[in-house]
């Protein structure tokens, strides 16, 4: 091919990319100012493997709509740290932020600050109900806690002692789960006694220690239920160490890889999988709709699934079908 033709083809290709035709933009959201790429940032409660599929969904949707996706996580689950991360993001004048709120009151002021700066804010996974966030995208937590207890009471034959572990006592999403769990047992199985409800700070090592302490303090403990993601892997490890795997019922939220292995190995009886990928994906779509001036509903239910040995190897494919392109 002649050099002049090659130069012409290259120029056409460059123009094509420059006008955005090369991107998989399905034109959601009014066009950003020329030459300015839109930036959306996901801020989880802190570093935790639970958020990996959330960001997968966020990234995939961002690629589809031609938005730049970023992830900014504080090291620990500490309110001041999460606030600082969000303040840094606000200072960069990004276009949208999706937050998993560690706390309601603690985050409301920084969410207001972002809103005043013209940044669209949604919450995903964990809401901040009194804040100015435009919507909450995630599990309906009270109902999910109730559903967890309904599964558990059957396994417990409606009686015995259960201990509940929770990753932080301030987050409304986790407190709602516990509320639903407690309400279900009161209504449907009053002979089941909650003998402990303890904080493991969202940390697996703390969960292991707490589980060992619970086993010592409550020799008749029949079940452990986790309202956050690290409980099943942490408690499973402790039960194994104590030779109690399969002897104490273990169940709880989320489908971390170690939880799924423990279901296959009969150490975890069931888990409640949240639709984390969908939370991330919808966060991008709702931020774009907000930029377009569309009103958003107060909350968007992403739904949950109960995972047992029966569906542990098939549920993920079923969940992802929804997003197959
Ligand atoms: C919750 C998250 C939490 C995670 C790790 C999940 O069940 O939905 O809010 O960050 O567990 O503790």
């Amino acid at each position: 091919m002649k050099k002049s033709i090659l130069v012409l083809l290259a120029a056409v290709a460059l123009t094509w990319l420059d006008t955005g035709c090369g991107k998989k933009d399905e034109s959601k959201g009014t066009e950003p100012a020329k030459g300015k790429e839109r930036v959306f940032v996901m801020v989880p409660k802190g570093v935790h493997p639970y958020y990996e599929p959330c960001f997968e969904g966020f990234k995939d949707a961002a690629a589809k709509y031609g938005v730049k996706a970023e992830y900014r996580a504080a090291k620990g689950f500490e309110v001041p740290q999460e606030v600082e991360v969000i303040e840094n993001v606000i200072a960069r004048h990004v276009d949208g932020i999706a937050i998993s709120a560690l706390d309601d009151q603690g985050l409301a002021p920084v969410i207001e600050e972002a809103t005043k700066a013209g940044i669209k804010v949604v919450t995903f996974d964990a809401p901040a109900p009194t804040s100015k966030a435009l919507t909450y995208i995630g599990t309906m937590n009270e109902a999910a806690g109730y559903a967890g207890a309904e599964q558990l009471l059957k396994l417990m034959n409606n009686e015995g002692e259960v201990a509940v572990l929770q990753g932080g006592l301030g987050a409304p999403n986790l407190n709602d789960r516990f509320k639903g769990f407690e309400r279900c047992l009161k209504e449907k199985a009053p002979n089941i006694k909650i003998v402990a409800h303890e904080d493991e700070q969202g940390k697996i090592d703390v969960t292991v220690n707490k589980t060992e302490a619970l086993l010592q303090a409550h020799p008749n403990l029949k079940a452990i239920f986790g309202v956050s993601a690290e409980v099943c892997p942490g408690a499973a490890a402790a039960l194994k160490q104590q030779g109690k795997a399969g002897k104490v019922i273990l169940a709880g939220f989320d489908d971390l890889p170690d939880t799924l292995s423990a279901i296959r190995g009969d150490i975890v009886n069931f888990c409640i999988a949240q639709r984390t990928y969908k939370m991330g994906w919808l966060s991008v779509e709702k931020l774009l709709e907000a930029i377009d001036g569309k009103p958003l509903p107060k909350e968007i239910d992403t739904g949950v699934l109960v995972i047992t040995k029966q569906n542990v190897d098939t549920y993920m494919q079923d969940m992802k079908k929804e997003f197959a392109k």
Side-chain angles (χ1 to χ4, degrees):
M1 210 183 295
K2 276 199 179 142
K3 201 173 161 202
S4 56
I5 298 179
L6 278 176
V7 170
L8 182 71
L9 282 177
V12 170
L14 277 178
T15 316
W16 185 68
L17 281 175
D18 196 40
T19 53
C21 301
K23 291 175 196 153
K24 282 188 244 151
D25 190 337
E26 308 231 326
S27 61
K28 216 179 214 306
T30 46
E31 285 298 304
K34 205 171 166 24
K36 187 182 173 272
E37 188 180 34
R38 232 171 229 144
V39 179
F40 289 171
V41 184
M42 173 173 272
V43 179
K45 286 181 180 173
V47 172
H48 196 293
Y50 165 79
Y51 291 103
E52 285 167 18
C54 300
F55 188 58
E56 281 290 304
F58 195 74
K59 233 178 19 191
D60 288 355
K64 177 173 174 184
Y65 296 115
V67 174
K68 183 161 185 259
E70 291 183 10
Y71 188 74
R72 294 283 177 272
K75 261 208 185 123
F77 278 27
E78 301 279 348
V79 178
Q81 284 184 24
E82 190 175 24
V83 169
E84 197 186 324
V85 168
I86 298 168
E87 272 169 351
N88 290 335
V89 171
I90 296 173
R92 292 177 43 227
H93 305 291
V94 301
D95 301 278
I97 313 178
I99 300 170
S100 169
L102 200 46
D103 187 75
D104 179 34
Q105 311 261 307
L107 287 197
V110 78
I111 292 176
E112 177 153 12
E113 195 184 319
T115 308
K116 279 194 181 142
I119 299 171
K120 304 295 179 202
V121 179
V122 299
T123 52
F124 75 98
D125 170 64
T130 68
S131 77
K132 289 210 153 53
L134 297 165
T135 188
Y136 161 66
I137 302 156
T139 299
M140 297 298 109
N141 288 294
E142 217 263 348
Y146 195 98
E150 265 180 326
Q151 291 288 324
L152 189 71
L153 64 86
K154 288 183 236 160
L155 296 173
M156 292 180 73
N157 263 332
N158 298 308
E159 59 180 16
E161 296 179 358
V162 60
V164 179
L165 290 174
Q166 179 168 326
L169 298 179
N173 68 330
L174 306 181
N175 288 336
D176 283 353
R177 284 176 205 174
F178 181 70
K179 229 191 278 164
F181 182 86
E182 206 179 20
R183 182 166 68 85
C184 175
L185 294 185
K186 257 188 208 141
E187 286 172 9
K188 298 196 161 175
N191 289 333
I192 293 181
K193 198 168 165 228
I194 301 175
V195 292
H197 174 210
E198 289 188 21
D199 183 14
E200 39 71 8
Q201 301 153 32
K203 293 182 183 156
I204 201 139
D205 54 336
V206 180
T207 306
V208 173
N209 294 339
K210 289 263 167 178
T211 306
E212 285 168 1
L214 284 172
L215 294 172
Q216 275 218 321
H218 305 281
N220 296 321
L221 195 65
K222 195 167 180 182
I224 298 173
F225 188 79
V227 289
S228 7
E230 57 289 335
V231 176
C232 282
L239 288 178
K240 262 206 247 172
Q241 271 168 25
Q242 308 274 315
K244 293 210 166 153
K247 290 179 188 148
V248 174
I249 297 164
L250 175 59
F253 275 76
D254 302 310
D255 52 349
L256 291 188
D258 284 349
T259 301
L260 299 179
S261 312
I263 288 179
R264 291 189 190 98
D266 296 316
I267 303 170
V268 169
N269 296 71
F270 70 88
C271 73
I272 297 177
Q274 303 187 75
R275 308 190 68 165
T276 42
Y277 184 90
K278 186 173 186 173
M279 292 178 199
W281 182 284
L282 288 182
S283 294
V284 169
E285 291 192 334
K286 297 302 149 190
L287 285 171
L288 286 170
E289 285 174 24
I291 288 173
D292 266 350
K294 292 189 186 141
L296 299 181
K298 202 169 151 256
E299 50 189 26
I300 298 166
D301 182 5
T302 44
V304 291
L305 272 180
V306 177
I307 313 299
T308 63
K309 217 175 173 180
Q310 270 65 52
N311 60 352
V312 67
D313 292 314
T314 53
Y315 82 98
M316 189 49 93
Q317 269 172 322
D318 292 344
M319 269 208 305
K320 287 216 162 158
K321 266 187 204 146
E322 198 179 337
F323 295 95
K325 292 164 202 124

